[in-house]
Amino acid sequence: MNLPNNKPVEFRSDTFTLPTQAMKEVMLSAPLGDDVFGEDPSINQLQNFAANYFGMEAALFAPSGTMTNQIAINVHTQPGDEVICDEGSHVYYYEGGGISKNSGAQVRLIHGDRGRITANQIAELINPDDVHRARTSLVSLENTCNRGGGACYNLNDITAIAKLCKDQGLKLHLDGARLMNAIVAGNQDPKWYGEHFDSISVCLSKGLGAPVGSLLLGSHSFIKEAKRVRKVMGGGMRQAGMLAAAGLYALQHQVGRLTLDHDHAKQLENVLKQMPWVNNVLPVETNIVILNLADSISAHDIVAKLAAKHIKISALSNKQIRLVTHLDISSSEIDYTCDVLRSL
């Protein structure tokens, strides 16, 4: 089978998505103002829409998901506090040591199930009220779990965690970089998340296809303080309404189509599970496919062989590779990729 459109198939991340023509048109016509003064109408419209969408009081637009996560951690903690999270969670693993650098907090790590942790695991790590111990102040969850192959939390598990945090006086943050994937996969109500978390970060520039930006959601008082921290971190943008217009378009028009990305990922999973050079594939629930290779196979060799066929993937380690489906990968490109995988 020939490569459709004569362009590389990009599986390295859903961050490679490009704005559609319709999104570009909305961006060009967006009314603008100065957002640091709270006067960009397009950003205000996005923030109001997102807050209502999740049933939360307020929202804040920021340049990246790393920034929205780090803002939330900074608002919820004091220097010397402790944050509980999974050992592979993005806030710990991929944000440049930001928890310690930005907030002066430390972490207690849990070995979860593909990134998902439980109330019982958390309860064991909450420090007593003792001057010798760090003050446990925040629990951070990730849904979907990036390093867990896009695994989704069971809502009952989140309910138990939320109750524990409330009983223990802890704040609960959700890194929802790909939360919309979880919501679509589970046919869930976004407002359910607003009821169970003190803060939520949602990325607009991954599977939703916006070029830049993430949202942080929470109470009015939380977002008021978050805006101050965003300014300190250099995230106060001026006439950024064109970016916000893209994010609003993404939330209004490009959520439902995530099911196609999930179907494409399952198609890849079904082929990869049959390959002799694959040891196992993490169960595919959304748009991320992570596989562990057979002992004699190098991830970098697989990356190179696929690159020669104009297919771009990521090596997470020498024995593990990742493919991420998104709106810029067509069904014909999935078919082409499956044919190439079978030929390796």
Side-chain angles (χ1 to χ4, degrees):
M1 184 175 182
N2 294 325
L3 178 67
N5 303 321
N6 294 316
K7 67 179 182 67
V9 188
E10 181 59 79
F11 286 105
R12 286 176 294 173
S13 177
D14 44 9
T15 59
F16 283 92
T17 54
L18 297 175
T20 63
Q21 184 59 38
M23 182 181 285
K24 290 178 182 178
E25 292 172 3
V26 168
M27 293 171 69
L28 287 173
S29 63
L32 305 178
D34 191 319
D35 181 51
V36 176
F37 285 85
E39 296 178 2
D40 188 299
S42 297
I43 291 178
N44 291 341
Q45 184 181 7
L46 169 64
Q47 291 172 164
N48 291 335
F49 178 88
N52 181 67
Y53 191 82
F54 284 96
M56 303 190 82
E57 291 181 354
L60 186 68
F61 184 58
S64 72
T66 292
M67 181 174 284
T68 48
N69 282 332
Q70 292 300 316
I71 290 171
I73 292 168
N74 190 268
V75 174
H76 287 315
T77 66
Q78 295 293 321
D81 284 2
E82 196 160 79
V83 180
I84 296 176
C85 60
D86 180 80
E87 63 186 1
S89 60
H90 196 280
V91 297
Y92 171 74
Y93 201 93
Y94 286 122
E95 296 185 8
I99 293 175
S100 58
K101 185 176 181 64
N102 296 322
S103 300
Q106 63 188 36
V107 294
R108 288 290 292 278
L109 300 177
I110 293 175
H111 178 70
D113 172 24
R114 296 168 53 214
R116 299 165 298 191
I117 59 180
T118 67
N120 288 337
Q121 289 176 308
I122 294 166
E124 293 178 358
L125 297 185
I126 298 173
N127 289 329
D129 185 9
D130 183 332
V131 295
H132 299 89
R133 307 291 294 276
R135 181 186 292 110
T136 305
S137 59
L138 175 65
V139 174
S140 180
L141 308 182
E142 183 178 339
N143 195 28
T144 68
C145 304
N146 180 10
R147 290 184 62 82
C152 301
Y153 267 90
N154 181 292
L155 297 188
N156 290 333
D157 292 335
I158 294 179
T159 299
I161 292 171
K163 182 179 186 305
L164 172 67
C165 288
K166 184 176 182 179
D167 292 344
Q168 296 295 320
L170 309 180
K171 297 299 185 181
L172 181 60
H173 173 67
L174 176 61
D175 174 6
R178 295 182 177 89
L179 178 57
M180 301 313 301
N181 292 89
I183 288 172
V184 168
N187 192 28
Q188 299 162 354
D189 181 357
K191 289 181 172 60
W192 186 93
Y193 287 90
E195 294 172 357
H196 288 79
F197 288 89
D198 296 292
S199 57
I200 300 174
S201 168
V202 179
C203 189
L204 302 169
S205 62
K206 292 185 172 69
L208 295 182
V212 175
S214 288
L215 289 160
L216 183 61
L217 301 109
S219 67
H220 288 302
S221 59
F222 170 82
I223 292 298
K224 181 180 179 180
E225 186 61 24
K227 190 170 184 179
R228 176 183 293 274
V229 177
R230 183 187 69 172
K231 179 64 175 176
V232 171
M233 291 184 176
M237 298 181 285
R238 300 295 179 172
Q239 290 77 22
M242 287 187 289
L243 301 176
L248 181 60
Y249 181 90
L251 286 173
Q252 291 177 331
H253 298 282
Q254 299 190 165
V255 173
R257 61 149 311 282
L258 292 173
T259 56
L260 179 60
D261 298 340
H262 300 170
D263 291 343
H264 285 164
K266 289 295 292 185
Q267 191 174 340
L268 293 170
E269 176 193 29
N270 291 336
V271 171
L272 287 164
K273 288 168 68 173
Q274 301 173 32
M275 296 301 99
W277 44 273
V278 174
N279 185 21
N280 61 73
V281 182
L282 297 188
V284 171
E285 298 181 43
T286 51
N287 70 322
I288 300 177
V289 184
I290 292 179
L291 55 137
N292 296 297
L293 298 168
D295 292 341
S296 60
I297 306 297
S298 163
H300 302 289
D301 288 343
I302 297 295
V303 170
K305 288 180 179 179
L306 290 178
K309 297 290 186 178
H310 307 288
I311 299 170
K312 297 182 178 182
I313 67 169
S314 296
L316 299 182
S317 70
N318 191 46
K319 303 304 297 182
Q320 193 173 65
I321 60 178
R322 185 183 81 161
L323 299 87
V324 185
T325 58
H326 51 78
L327 62 86
D328 286 338
I329 298 177
S330 67
S331 295
S332 59
E333 288 171 324
I334 292 292
D335 292 338
Y336 169 79
T337 301
C338 289
D339 285 346
V340 172
L341 292 171
R342 293 187 187 98
S343 70
L344 292 183

